[in-house]
Amino acid sequence: MPDTAVVTGAARGIGRALASRLAREGWQLVVADLDAAELAAVADATGALAVPGDTSTDAGVRHLVDTAYAHLGHVDVFFANAGIGTLKGLDASDAEWTRTLETNVLAHVRAARQLVPRWLDAGGGRLVVTASAAGLLTMLGDAPYSVSKHAAVSFAEWLSATYRHRGVVVQAICPQGVQTRMLDGSGPLKDLLTLDATLTADEVADAAWRALATDDFYVLPHPEVRDYYAQRAAHPDAWLAGMNRLQQKLDHQIQTSTTSTTTSTQEPA
């Protein structure tokens, strides 16, 4: 079993849970996040080296990987976990699209550029991408998130197809609803995201830990996602019609909530 890892987006949520699980197993860690204060707390709790910074940028990724190799000597597993959402559709600005794609997709590309040549020289390595079930299905109410997570899965697939025979293992974690700050801030989407069981970040980390003993590409903490994905592939029009029905329910919920709020604010004191 490998024993060194880098975890991005480690200040909270799934990233923090991954770092905690690996630390309990005795791994040596480097953790990264934009939030330096919360990252420092995670590093203190796990014995990791904290590298605060923006791992969506080329300079940030280069600095993280170089620092990790200098500190650890080698990197067995890189958890590309950092991700963001917008909760917007066509109203998302170009800047929001760019930021989401930089964080959710290009960060993985930039990490692979730095890591894969090193892994090929060393005889192997493992990239684990936190992609979300949105990368296999879709994400109503957040176009940039949905598109970027599909792209993240697609890039991970390409890496696996290209380098697996040379010892590079690539895996994609694709959970549905997880009890994180992102879910808490999802507004009207929260009910949709929690139609099936909502897992804790620790449960997702446990699934990722078990997956390290395999070379399976998909890591599905919510097993029902496999069935949804199969239905989508086999019956795309029926699947899209079902998703549209969910969107109609979401529209109704938003309209009802807006009407209720408007009525409440107009009532006399």
Side-chain angles (χ1 to χ4, degrees):
M1 178 69 76
D3 64 359
T4 64
V6 175
V7 183
T8 69
R12 61 184 67 88
I14 294 173
R16 181 171 60 189
L18 286 168
S20 296
R21 180 59 195 263
L22 294 170
R24 289 199 305 272
E25 300 294 341
W27 284 38
Q28 295 178 284
L29 302 174
V30 169
V31 293
D33 201 284
L34 276 171
D35 190 328
E38 289 202 34
L39 185 67
V42 172
D44 287 342
T46 60
L49 174 69
V51 183
D54 187 352
T55 57
S56 72
T57 67
D58 184 64
V61 170
R62 285 177 182 271
H63 174 65
L64 174 60
V65 173
D66 287 345
T67 301
Y69 270 87
H71 179 69
L72 300 171
H74 61 283
V75 174
D76 294 313
V77 185
F78 189 97
F79 288 91
N81 171 76
I84 60 173
T86 67
L87 297 180
K88 293 185 177 181
L90 295 179
D91 55 331
S93 67
D94 285 358
E96 288 169 320
W97 273 96
T98 297
R99 180 60 176 159
T100 304
L101 291 168
E102 291 271 2
T103 303
N104 295 356
V105 186
L106 287 177
H108 305 170
V109 176
R110 290 161 178 156
R113 284 178 185 152
Q114 298 301 313
L115 292 161
V116 170
R118 289 175 163 101
W119 286 341
L120 294 178
D121 289 341
R126 184 179 299 249
L127 177 67
V128 182
V129 173
T130 302
S132 167
L136 301 179
L137 305 171
T138 194
M139 174 69 166
L140 297 177
D142 198 328
Y145 185 84
S146 181
V147 171
S148 64
K149 291 300 185 178
H150 274 273
V153 171
S154 181
F155 178 65
E157 288 176 338
W158 181 87
L159 280 176
S160 180
T162 304
Y163 293 107
R164 66 164 47 205
H165 68 292
R166 299 179 67 182
V168 177
V169 178
V170 183
Q171 295 176 298
I173 308 173
C174 299
Q176 291 195 109
V178 182
Q179 295 172 20
T180 63
R181 189 177 299 183
M182 184 178 289
L183 180 65
D184 290 339
S186 59
L189 287 174
K190 187 172 183 179
D191 289 343
L192 176 64
L193 295 172
T194 56
L195 286 175
D196 294 311
T198 303
L199 300 182
T200 66
D202 287 336
E203 288 174 316
V204 175
D206 288 343
W209 170 256
R210 292 191 296 270
L212 293 178
T214 78
D215 290 346
D216 294 345
F217 180 80
Y218 288 119
V219 181
L220 303 178
H222 295 81
E224 57 269 26
V225 170
R226 189 179 302 276
D227 293 334
Y228 297 154
Y229 189 41
Q231 292 169 15
R232 176 180 180 269
H235 308 287
D237 288 315
W239 180 82
L240 283 169
M243 293 300 292
N244 181 251
R245 286 192 292 273
L246 287 175
Q247 180 64 55
Q248 292 177 56
K249 291 181 181 178
L250 181 62
D251 290 347
H252 177 72
Q253 180 182 345
I254 293 172
Q255 182 179 9
T256 301
S257 176
T258 301
T259 301
S260 176
T261 301
T262 301
T263 301
S264 176
T265 58
Q266 291 178 349
E267 288 178 350

